[in-house]
Amino acid sequence: MRMIRSLWQKYHGRFIVSLILLICFGLAREPQLSAAERSELAKSFQFTPSTLPTLSGYPQSTIRTVNPSLTHISAWISSVGAAIAINDLDADGLSNDICYVDPRIDQVIVTPVPQADLRYVPFALNPSPHPYNPTTMSPMGCLPGDFNEDGVLDLLVYYWGRTPLLFFQQPTDGSLTAERFVVQELISQSERWYTSAGLLADFDGDGHQDLILGNYFPDGAQILDENSSKAESMQASMSRAFNGGNKHFLRWTARPDQPFGGQFMPVEQVLERELNHGWTFALGAADLNGDLLPELYIANDFGPDRLLLNQSTPGTLKFLLLEGQAGFNIPSSKRVGHDSFKGMGVEFSDLNSDAIPDIFVSNITTDYGLHESNFAFLSTGDQTSFTQGLAPYRDHSEALGLARSGWGWDIRVADFNNDTSLEIVQATGFVKGTVNNWPELQELATGNDALLADPASWPSFQAGDDIAGHQINPFFVRDATGRYHNLAAELNLDAPHVTRGIATADVDGDGRLDFALANQWESSWFYHNTSPINTKALGLRLRLPLDVHQPLAVLSGYQSDPTPSLAAIGANATITLPDGRTLVAQVDGGNGHSGKRSYDLHFGLGDLKGDSQINVEITWRTRAGAIVKTRQLLKPGNYTILLGSTN
């Protein structure tokens, strides 16, 4: 007994410390599902993959030529460009057309979704006769929109190395071809922009869509010019970098002298310098406070992200910076607007079922690598805090199982099995090669911020180097406790990709959402949803008729141009299920990094009787800027709703 007492006195301190560490380790471990539980959770999902077609006759590459001062980090500079959008380009009533950027040939390709009988031959958009030098310019994204408000969907392509080009589609019969798109400069002056994200939203509430473009490198840089004698700079800091490109706002302005009665006009000095010059990779716009003016989220790779309250009025753009509230148990870097760096993608969806959009932000979260956190900013419901400059959002990513994933990019939140619970698909991966360069990157990221702007202080990142090049795109599914689990392996979605953009749409109108991935320097993929589900869904195609006297009409099915109309970007739909639960969604004008979902809204309804009716409330702005609301009782299925006059 004396010996036991002596040993206890000698080692009890170590024992207590070890016990505390063991308890902390147990608390820190993420809850894990058994194999049987994972299989059960995965059984209602199934996707059939196919590669997207590419085009022959173009020179191929796996890395870009760059400014001589950046040659030793050419793989880093060449790590973006893959992009994808799904929409209804040929007006056949289905969002079954894809516009995507294939970096291997640096072409913007329009193609029908992969199917047995192609409706038209895939083709590349032709920027000629406008200046385009493939050795100093590269396409970065494709944004569908009716930019001239004629009822026909057009395409905006944005680039590194030049200003964006508008490809106006001519309203003619026949299959889609490159000749149907007439190209025009977005702005009159020739400038070098490095645009990595763009979206449409009616920021000033005048009833017309405005445009914002987020630039990465500083405007005027010569990043891709291998013959340049100008030495370029990188970010001035990891977390406080304010030397990036501009955020360019272009407001739709009535111009009777223009063929279409309006034009996108640049608006200067909308944001102050620190808000304007982060290194932007993603943009998101959504109405967060119910006034039908979209708030703006700017996701910056370097420099903190920004959430801006929209205080605009018709003809005038005005935004107020919002920041998350501090608290003893809230890490500073997990407050809205105080993250350190690596804002790579952003998405809005109601994750906590309070009928208010939440904000999901995709970051770099690789284990033993650069590791911040993905953010699941859930609404607190305190709508009064907006006007005080406070963002009523708190991060719950850890509790939801969403904090860690990999080197994240685009993110999409949607209901892929129609059970009313939302799934999450995330794009991951950076540079694929054979030489592990993580140690060099870690040294760079933890080094002296003052050295970062000088490319000479950077280690080599060139062809053949690998940084997060073999990661798996997560497919997160929610369990009965509300926690998410990555089931990519169970769903055969675990092939390693280097993905940038994700687009979603119900391409065949069967009530099941499909998705597509834009991959960097490798094939891009389409995933047809063939899930064996018996649950119901509601699909809404919300349109604004060009004729202001057109009465409101609810048409069964997705209609192919029943009357000339525009997508009602920014319109809000709230549905009430028979058990009293509400689901919300807004028509998205291009949120995220380089993926653009279709304009159609999709709601999973769960197990409903065939004759059940759903209460649907739709709120929108007319083309004159007035706010209008309608309520409809709809059965499960797809509907085209012309948001015309309710008088």
Side-chain angles (χ1 to χ4, degrees), residues 439-455:
E440 289 82 355
L441 179 56
Q442 286 282 53
E443 182 178 2
L444 173 71
T446 56
N448 190 331
D449 254 12
L451 300 176
L452 279 172
D454 183 3

Side-chain angles (χ1 to χ4, degrees), residues 106-424:
D106 262 349
Q107 295 295 318
V108 183
I109 300 172
V110 175
T111 176
V113 298
Q115 54 193 10
D117 183 20
L118 291 180
R119 289 170 284 114
Y120 54 89
V121 178
F123 59 88
L125 294 175
N126 183 5
S128 179
H130 297 274
Y132 182 78
N133 184 345
T135 64
T136 61
M137 305 170 185
S138 291
M140 290 285 144
C142 181
L143 176 63
D146 190 346
F147 294 94
N148 53 8
E149 298 190 351
D150 65 348
V152 180
L153 207 57
D154 313 303
L155 296 169
L156 180 138
V157 178
Y158 47 87
Y159 301 84
W160 275 14
R162 75 168 335 274
T163 48
L165 290 173
L166 280 166
F167 291 81
F168 289 111
Q169 184 180 174
Q170 305 307 295
T172 58
D173 295 330
S175 299
L176 279 182
T177 64
E179 289 68 33
R180 280 181 60 168
F181 291 89
V182 177
V183 63
Q184 178 179 310
E185 295 282 358
L186 175 66
I187 62 173
S188 57
Q189 64 269 34
S190 176
E191 298 181 13
R192 283 190 300 272
W193 291 2
Y194 294 85
T195 307
S196 293
L199 61 80
L200 287 163
D202 181 6
F203 286 116
D204 65 349
D206 67 351
H208 300 274
Q209 301 302 320
D210 308 305
L211 181 63
I212 179 175
L213 299 160
N215 286 3
Y216 191 73
F217 285 100
D219 296 5
Q222 299 174 16
I223 302 300
L224 303 180
D225 188 352
E226 65 177 338
N227 297 314
S228 173
S229 59
K230 176 187 176 184
E232 292 295 346
S233 297
M234 297 297 288
Q235 72 274 18
S237 163
M238 283 289 191
S239 58
R240 302 281 301 168
F242 304 118
N243 64 329
N246 288 329
K247 310 304 161 282
H248 290 280
F249 290 85
L250 293 98
R251 192 179 68 81
W252 191 95
T253 306
R255 291 283 302 274
D257 59 317
Q258 295 296 314
F260 307 107
Q263 185 177 0
F264 286 96
M265 301 296 293
V267 183
E268 304 297 334
Q269 298 180 333
V270 177
L271 304 177
E272 63 184 55
R273 178 172 174 77
E274 284 199 358
L275 300 184
N276 195 39
H277 287 283
W279 295 61
T280 301
F281 259 154
L283 296 167
D287 174 20
L288 304 181
N289 62 354
D291 62 359
L292 232 61
L293 288 175
E295 276 60 59
L296 176 62
Y297 193 99
I298 303 173
N300 291 320
D301 185 16
F302 303 112
D305 291 359
R306 302 298 191 181
L307 177 61
L308 305 176
L309 177 69
N310 192 345
Q311 297 181 320
S312 304
T313 54
T316 303
L317 300 182
K318 180 182 178 182
F319 297 91
L320 172 69
L321 177 65
L322 299 174
E323 296 182 310
Q325 199 159 12
F328 175 76
N329 62 338
I330 304 175
S332 179
S333 64
K334 281 181 169 277
R335 293 165 54 197
V336 172
H338 285 262
D339 60 306
S340 55
F341 57 91
K342 306 305 180 200
M344 314 292 278
V346 62
E347 171 79 310
F348 298 95
S349 195
D350 183 14
L351 292 172
N352 61 355
S353 302
D354 65 353
I356 300 172
D358 304 307
I359 309 170
F360 195 107
V361 181
S362 181
N363 284 321
I364 295 178
T365 67
T366 298
D367 289 338
Y368 310 109
L370 298 182
H371 198 156
E372 190 181 42
S373 172
N374 295 319
F375 299 128
F377 289 123
L378 303 188
S379 168
T380 65
D382 180 13
Q383 299 290 80
T384 62
S385 64
F386 280 111
T387 55
Q388 303 169 29
L390 297 175
Y393 288 90
R394 290 190 61 173
D395 174 54
H396 290 261
S397 58
E398 189 66 47
L400 289 172
L402 298 171
R404 292 174 287 278
S405 53
W407 191 300
W409 294 87
D410 239 355
I411 196 86
R412 286 289 168 258
V413 182
D415 187 352
F416 288 97
N417 65 347
N418 295 337
D419 66 349
T420 74
S421 181
L422 297 171
E423 288 74 52
I424 300 173

